Amino acid sequence: MNRIITISREFGSGGRTIGKEVAEKLGIPCYDSDLIHRIAEESGLSEAYIKNTEESYSSGIFASRTYGLTNEDKLWNAECRVILELAEKGPCVIVGRCADYILRDKADLLTVYIHASKEFRAHRIEYVYGENANKSAIQRVEEKDKRRSAYHRFYTDMKWGQAGNYDICLDSEKITIAACVEIIASLY
Amino acid sequence: MNRIITISREFGSGGRTIGKEVAEKLGIPCYDSDLIHRIAEESGLSEAYIKNTEESYSSGIFASRTYGLTNEDKLWNAECRVILELAEKGPCVIVGRCADYILRDKADLLTVYIHASKEFRAHRIEYVYGENANKSAIQRVEEKDKRRSAYHRFYTDMKWGQAGNYDICLDSEKITIAACVEIIASLY
């Protein structure tokens, strides 16, 4: 089993940056949720791929929903498949997409959760992603929090942000992003 | 404001051991919840002390309960007072007793939460505290978890074990107690 670091993070907490820097420090690849989503979407476009994925899951956690998969379910299945494939290739860092849940018992995991205060994250997303004319940064943080939490709960049935679900949880504001990187890399 | 490390922990997770070792490493005192409880009980025996404590809290978070304090409330108030006094004396480590909540805005805090799987903790309490003829170790862990969680919720109105409430949360089983000590001391 490959040694894999999974990073779950609140929107704007710097989890993706931390993942990339940890991976760089350790000389292993970092796959973020955008990349996994894109691969899944691209491969998901071929019906054969989705069918294959559906079959491989139909006997598992999604058995009861096999005959009524939504597009979101199909994408989730395709993403699971992508994450399992990436994890089999070698040690890596995976940011987001419930990788901790998908890879439980499938890899030698170090599971990380990064969080910070709403104010810190609002400030940070304006700096990183720019302003949004229609929504305040706090609104964007709150909406994304809600969506991630619901997504996570729906597909994993675990409570988002519960310390017991992770090996280590860090407040990136209090601990600083640089120190988070140091700590995580030192635990690898 | 003194720099203070507070350690909340699940029963049997090794939080107290970690607190003691961190304090030793940093050359500062460690106050555990037993000690705080004892000081509060001893000082609480003098009516003047409790009265004094009640008065100092009556205008604050307990205003609405001033005219109906239970013995548990009185002890909580006395413990708050003890913790505030200890925190004023100098930098230290405080294990348990909701010190993170009591000292918020009153000290320069590093707030830590230590947890581990039930199985690990059950095994550890039998090793540390010995066996109990009437209850299995798992039962003892579950009962204490319930009690701590309810106590914490009642007096702080914060959810026990929610990562967002702490600067750093560590799984002492996965990370190891020695590595927890290293990380916490390095963040001081």
Side-chain angles (χ1 to χ4, degrees):
Chain A
M1 290 207 286
N2 286 312
R3 182 104 173 105
I4 289 167
I5 299 175
T6 63
I7 299 186
S8 305
R9 75 288 178 232
E10 288 181 347
F11 181 53
S13 67
R16 195 166 57 162
T17 304
I18 291 170
K20 282 191 193 310
E21 290 185 16
V22 166
E24 207 168 300
K25 219 176 167 77
L26 297 172
I28 58 179
C30 176
Y31 307 113
D32 70 11
S33 61
D34 288 348
L35 178 68
I36 290 162
H37 188 81
R38 219 165 49 236
I39 301 176
E41 269 197 329
E42 276 164 21
S43 46
L45 288 178
S46 88
E47 256 183 73
Y49 187 90
I50 283 196
K51 196 163 178 305
N52 194 3
T53 307
E54 278 176 19
E55 273 162 12
S56 66
Y57 278 91
S58 64
S59 60
I61 43 176
F62 295 103
S64 61
R65 309 176 72 217
T66 304
Y67 299 104
L69 289 180
T70 64
N71 284 337
E72 209 177 30
D73 289 343
K74 286 177 189 165
L75 193 59
W76 161 262
N77 286 353
E79 287 182 355
C80 286
R81 165 71 61 110
V82 170
I83 287 171
L84 287 165
E85 283 171 2
L86 291 173
E88 265 173 30
K89 280 202 334 205
C92 61
V93 177
I94 302 180
V95 180
R97 302 286 103 186
C98 311
D100 51 340
Y101 175 79
I102 295 162
L103 295 177
R104 69 197 186 290
D105 311 321
K106 296 259 185 342
D108 177 16
L109 295 182
L110 177 69
T111 59
V112 180
Y113 181 75
I114 306 287
H115 59 93
S117 73
K118 263 186 208 165
E119 294 66 32
F120 174 82
R121 296 187 287 130
H123 185 78
R124 214 179 148 274
I125 62 164
E126 282 200 327
Y127 176 76
V128 176
Y129 302 106
E131 287 188 31
N132 179 320
N134 300 316
K135 279 179 201 162
S136 75
I138 285 277
Q139 274 178 315
R140 288 157 72 195
V141 162
E142 284 174 350
E143 276 179 23
K144 202 92 167 195
D145 278 357
K146 250 195 197 159
R147 204 163 307 159
R148 278 195 189 160
S149 163
Y151 181 86
H152 195 267
R153 186 62 185 265
F154 184 76
Y155 284 111
T156 72
D157 221 8
M158 276 157 48
K159 265 199 185 157
W160 173 251
Q162 195 70 27
N165 293 335
Y166 307 94
D167 298 332
I168 179 165
C169 304
L170 297 161
D171 182 324
S172 55
E173 178 182 7
K174 282 290 294 289
I175 305 293
T176 79
I177 286 180
C180 288
V181 172
E182 282 298 327
I183 291 171
I184 298 164
S186 78
L187 288 172
Y188 189 71
Chain B
M1 289 207 288
N2 286 314
R3 184 105 174 104
I4 288 166
I5 298 175
T6 63
I7 299 186
S8 305
R9 76 287 178 231
E10 287 181 348
F11 181 53
S13 66
R16 195 168 55 162
T17 305
I18 291 171
K20 283 191 194 310
E21 290 185 15
V22 166
E24 205 168 302
K25 218 176 166 78
L26 297 172
I28 58 179
C30 176
Y31 307 114
D32 70 11
S33 62
D34 289 348
L35 178 68
I36 291 163
H37 187 81
R38 217 164 51 235
I39 300 175
E41 270 198 329
E42 277 163 20
S43 46
L45 288 178
S46 89
E47 253 184 74
Y49 187 90
I50 284 198
K51 194 164 180 305
N52 194 3
T53 307
E54 279 176 17
E55 272 162 13
S56 66
Y57 277 91
S58 65
S59 60
I61 45 175
F62 295 103
S64 62
R65 310 178 72 218
T66 304
Y67 300 103
L69 290 180
T70 63
N71 283 339
E72 208 177 31
D73 290 343
K74 285 178 190 166
L75 193 59
W76 161 261
N77 286 353
E79 285 182 356
C80 286
R81 166 70 64 110
V82 170
I83 288 172
L84 287 164
E85 283 172 1
L86 292 173
E88 264 173 33
K89 280 203 335 206
C92 60
V93 177
I94 303 181
V95 180
R97 301 285 104 184
C98 311
D100 51 340
Y101 175 79
I102 295 162
L103 295 177
R104 71 198 185 290
D105 312 322
K106 296 259 184 346
D108 177 15
L109 294 182
L110 176 69
T111 59
V112 180
Y113 181 76
I114 306 288
H115 58 93
S117 74
K118 261 184 209 165
E119 294 67 31
F120 175 82
R121 294 187 286 130
H123 185 78
R124 214 179 148 274
I125 62 164
E126 282 200 327
Y127 176 76
V128 177
Y129 303 106
E131 286 187 32
N132 178 321
N134 301 314
K135 279 180 199 161
S136 75
I138 285 278
Q139 274 178 316
R140 287 158 72 194
V141 162
E142 284 173 351
E143 275 178 23
K144 201 94 167 193
D145 279 357
K146 251 196 196 158
R147 205 163 306 160
R148 277 195 190 161
S149 164
Y151 181 85
H152 195 267
R153 187 64 185 264
F154 184 75
Y155 284 111
T156 73
D157 220 8
M158 276 157 49
K159 265 198 185 158
W160 173 253
Q162 193 71 26
N165 293 336
Y166 307 94
D167 298 333
I168 180 165
C169 304
L170 297 161
D171 183 324
S172 55
E173 177 182 9
K174 283 289 296 283
I175 304 294
T176 76
I177 286 180
C180 288
V181 172
E182 281 298 326
I183 291 171
I184 298 164
S186 78
L187 287 172
Y188 188 71

